[in-house]
Amino acid sequence: MNTAAPVSMLEEAMPTSSECLVGQQIVLDLYGCDDTLIDDIDHVREAMLGAARAARATIVQEVFHRFAPWGVSGVVVIAESHLAIHTWPERGYAAVDVFTCGTELGLRAAVAHLQAAFRSSDPRLVRLRRGDSRVPLAFEQE
């Protein structure tokens, strides 16, 4: 069962400040990406830094690594939390995680920036409310 929402549904998925206790997390699956773009470490780095700037985040540090024969992983640490990415160019797929404390950042702008930067033809997202004890456990306790 696919529970991911298309990026166009981000408006409805975003929490209001009263319902977001600690922060919010966007799990973004970008399908149909340009394989050369998501395998280019410099492009991935600039896209992620651009997404942080588009969200009006405070960039603290960034680390990126290119794997052989392909793929890039990286993280942008922001004062508000982080943005992380892992790419699979052979599948045209990028997995992105955007976690922010509070509700002040422009996550819609960050998501739109990444979708455009990687030329994703099929973006999907899931929004999580972090620190909300009303959210049920996803796994049974062992």
Side-chain angles (χ1 to χ4, degrees), residues 3 27 34 47 53 100:
T3 59
V27 177
D34 181 314
R53 287 189 290 272
T100 66

Side-chain angles (χ1 to χ4, degrees), residues 62-115:
E62 45 95 357
V63 177
F64 287 84
H65 176 78
R66 186 174 184 286
F67 295 94
W70 50 68
V72 175
S73 289
V75 63
V76 177
V77 177
I78 57 176
E80 303 81 3
S81 195
H82 71 268
L83 292 82
I85 188 167
H86 306 285
T87 72
W88 285 262
E90 71 278 19
R91 295 181 179 199
Y93 172 72
V96 180
D97 174 55
V98 181
F99 184 16
T100 66
C101 298
T103 59
E104 300 303 312
L105 294 185
L107 296 184
R108 292 173 188 86
V111 167
H113 178 84
L114 292 169
Q115 179 183 353

Side-chain angles (χ1 to χ4, degrees), residues 26-81:
I26 300 295
V27 177
L28 180 62
D29 287 332
L30 296 173
Y31 298 98
C33 293
D34 181 314
D35 62 333
T36 59
L37 295 178
I38 62 173
D39 198 33
D40 179 336
I41 190 170
D42 294 326
H43 183 80
V44 171
R45 177 185 292 112
E46 287 308 312
M48 292 294 285
L49 291 170
R53 287 189 290 272
R56 298 179 316 279
T58 305
I59 298 169
V60 175
Q61 189 171 4
E62 45 95 357
V63 177
F64 287 84
H65 176 78
R66 186 174 184 286
F67 295 94
W70 50 68
V72 175
S73 289
V75 63
V76 177
V77 177
I78 57 176
E80 303 81 3
S81 195

Side-chain angles (χ1 to χ4, degrees), residues 6 11 18 24 44 51 54 63 69 71 91 100 105 108 121 126-127 133:
E11 185 71 32
S18 63
Q24 52 193 324
V44 171
V63 177
R91 295 181 179 199
T100 66
L105 294 185
R108 292 173 188 86
S121 63
V126 174
R127 191 260 309 173
S133 62

